[in-house]
Amino acid sequence: MSGAPFVVGFDLDMTLVDSRRGIVECMQRVLSARGVTARDEQLWPLIGAPLEANLGGFLPAEQVRGAADDYRAVYLQHAVRLTTALPGAVELVELIHADGGRVLVVSAKAPAAVHAVLEHVGLRPDVVVGAVFAEDKAVPLRAHDARMYVGDHQGDMYAARAASAYAVGVTTGPHDEAMLRKAGADAVVPDLVALGERLNEFERAASTG
């Protein structure tokens, strides 16, 4: 790879890591403490969206800030250790680095939690940005000249489009191919293993698009 390094951005939850169990259990703990019961199937589709917005769907507005603080504390204590790298994630980051590229992680999760999760699963991106969602992710993507952004959520596709980056959806999260395409995905793959196999193809498309 010649010239400036090719920068690939990634979402975190359900894109690079399987964080479903920890997120759902922490949400249930925080909600239960406030007298609210939430089933797994209610919480799973919310993964990837901002925490306060998710809590606001279950709690009165005056309880959301305290619940969010409690969630973040519980998350660091309980959920990080339940999180695993998704198949192909470590290898894909290594492949990008071996090709002279750089890896940027941009997540809606609080920065401390992003760093804790990445450390736990052994992923070593070059840049980490937290606490941004959907089109707001375009700011760090543009700042670091990301040419491609990979995510499992509709908001990730909006971010890529807003940043003029090649949008790659993965169906390891709650959104299927049709939803990701509708949100603007240029390409959709079933997982990061498949993405690794097509990385050069997508890099060429991102460079010529």
Side-chain angles (χ1 to χ4, degrees), residues 60-129:
E62 63 271 16
Q63 293 186 21
V64 168
R65 182 173 180 178
D69 290 343
D70 290 350
Y71 173 93
R72 292 187 176 107
V74 170
Y75 187 94
L76 291 173
Q77 297 168 1
H78 176 71
V80 172
R81 61 183 175 84
L82 300 178
T83 304
T84 59
L86 281 164
V90 173
E91 294 82 0
L92 182 56
V93 170
E94 291 176 349
L95 178 62
I96 293 167
H97 283 154
D99 198 31
R102 288 170 58 81
V103 174
L104 165 66
V105 172
V106 184
S107 171
K109 191 184 294 296
V114 178
H115 284 284
V117 165
L118 291 169
E119 179 68 24
H120 174 70
V121 302
L123 287 170
R124 302 288 185 269
D126 299 284
V127 180
V128 174
V129 178

Side-chain angles (χ1 to χ4, degrees), residues 31-182:
L31 292 172
S32 178
R34 289 161 175 82
V36 176
T37 299
R39 302 185 305 276
D40 289 11
E41 56 268 27
Q42 291 177 282
L43 298 172
W44 161 238
L46 305 178
I47 292 177
L51 173 61
E52 285 82 358
N54 290 341
L55 290 169
F58 296 91
L59 298 172
E62 63 271 16
Q63 293 186 21
V64 168
R65 182 173 180 178
D69 290 343
D70 290 350
Y71 173 93
R72 292 187 176 107
V74 170
Y75 187 94
L76 291 173
Q77 297 168 1
H78 176 71
V80 172
R81 61 183 175 84
L82 300 178
T83 304
T84 59
L86 281 164
V90 173
E91 294 82 0
L92 182 56
V93 170
E94 291 176 349
L95 178 62
I96 293 167
H97 283 154
D99 198 31
R102 288 170 58 81
V103 174
L104 165 66
V105 172
V106 184
S107 171
K109 191 184 294 296
V114 178
H115 284 284
V117 165
L118 291 169
E119 179 68 24
H120 174 70
V121 302
L123 287 170
R124 302 288 185 269
D126 299 284
V127 180
V128 174
V129 178
V132 284
F133 177 65
E135 288 88 350
D136 289 342
K137 290 184 175 184
V139 175
L141 290 175
R142 285 194 297 262
H144 295 281
D145 197 26
R147 304 298 302 279
M148 182 189 308
Y149 188 57
V150 183
D152 68 290
H153 195 281
Q154 287 174 308
D156 299 323
M157 302 304 99
Y158 301 149
R161 304 303 290 188
S164 298
Y166 193 76
V168 179
V170 287
T171 55
T172 42
H175 293 174
D176 62 17
E177 180 171 357
M179 295 176 72
L180 294 169
R181 292 278 187 187
K182 185 176 180 180

